[in-house]
Amino acid sequence: MGKIESKEQLINEIAEAIQEHFDEQSFFLDLTTQTITFLPSACLDDDFDDEDYENDDEDDEDYEDDADPITGIPYDESREELSHELVEIEPSSSRDDYEIMEAFAAQENNEYLFHALRRRHPFRAFRDAVERTDFLQKWYDFRNGEYNRLAKRWLEENGIDFVDGKVVRIESDDFGASEDEQ
């Protein structure tokens, strides 16, 4: 995930982050670097000490002692610290994921998919059901569209938009004013 260059990229990368579920690690939108960043939750604790996460691999070319411990970006010589405005991207809930599967089954009006959702392990059963049918590509397209919808909702709830080539915080009345930049 590189620097965000368009509203479409912003939505797609947030949608991807919403889909991911990791214990003790989270995705964040970094408004300072205009990127999506993946961090251990411990980095955000008030008592975080970056020396606890020292690099053990001396040959790692990406690591620099004079780099920001969160992003690895070298410090600007004119600044001792690089502050970040981070906004956490919460992963989707199991309920959200289940409702997406339900909506797809309803759209296709397919009893085989509904039956999979009533089984003991509905997520695995549903995945197996779409893999055994001709619905696999339709499912991926539908799911991606739903996660993009969740990403747009996340942007609105957090007052974030892509305006004049940058990811910015905006006033709630101004949200979506830059739709023509998609």
Side-chain angles (χ1 to χ4, degrees):
M1 295 185 185
K3 183 175 180 200
I4 297 167
E5 303 287 341
S6 69
K7 187 164 186 175
E8 180 181 8
Q9 180 187 3
L10 174 64
I11 291 167
N12 289 337
E13 289 193 16
I14 289 171
E16 188 177 319
I18 288 171
Q19 290 181 60
E20 299 296 331
H21 297 261
F22 297 100
D23 291 335
E24 299 189 28
Q25 296 185 16
S26 298
F27 283 97
F28 295 84
L29 174 59
D30 187 333
L31 295 170
T32 306
T33 63
Q34 302 281 293
T35 60
I36 304 290
T37 304
F38 184 67
L39 300 171
S41 300
C43 289
L44 301 175
D45 293 344
D46 290 336
D47 59 347
F48 173 70
D49 181 1
D50 65 343
E51 296 200 9
D52 292 340
Y53 288 88
E54 284 187 33
N55 190 339
D56 294 333
D57 185 359
E58 298 297 328
D59 297 328
D60 188 352
E61 295 173 17
D62 294 333
Y63 180 79
E64 297 185 29
D65 288 331
D66 60 344
D68 180 87
I70 294 177
T71 64
I73 296 172
Y75 289 128
D76 183 328
E77 290 178 12
S78 65
R79 300 192 313 185
E80 288 185 18
E81 273 190 46
L82 180 62
S83 62
H84 295 271
E85 186 176 356
L86 300 174
V87 184
E88 186 170 9
I89 303 170
E90 292 283 335
S92 60
S93 67
S94 295
R95 180 179 192 83
D96 289 334
D97 296 339
Y98 187 87
E99 288 174 355
I100 291 171
M101 293 185 301
E102 264 186 333
F104 181 73
Q107 174 184 292
E108 297 304 319
N109 194 24
N110 186 284
E111 188 55 39
Y112 185 61
L113 298 176
F114 281 119
H115 177 71
L117 290 171
R118 291 189 299 265
R119 294 191 55 200
R120 183 167 179 224
H121 299 285
F123 290 91
R124 184 177 351 161
F126 186 85
R127 185 186 67 229
D128 291 345
V130 295
E131 287 176 355
R132 290 186 183 121
T133 63
D134 292 332
F135 294 123
L136 189 58
Q137 190 57 52
K138 285 175 92 172
W139 162 241
Y140 288 146
D141 294 342
F142 181 86
R143 183 189 63 188
N144 291 342
E146 290 299 299
Y147 280 113
N148 281 351
R149 183 183 55 76
L150 291 174
K152 289 174 185 175
R153 185 174 74 196
W154 182 90
L155 286 168
E156 188 171 339
E157 289 171 354
N158 287 279
I160 295 170
D161 203 352
F162 191 85
V163 179
D164 297 329
K166 284 186 70 174
V167 180
V168 295
R169 282 198 182 272
I170 57 165
E171 298 298 318
S172 60
D173 294 343
D174 296 335
F175 188 81
S178 66
E179 290 296 316
D180 57 337
E181 292 192 30
Q182 287 188 35

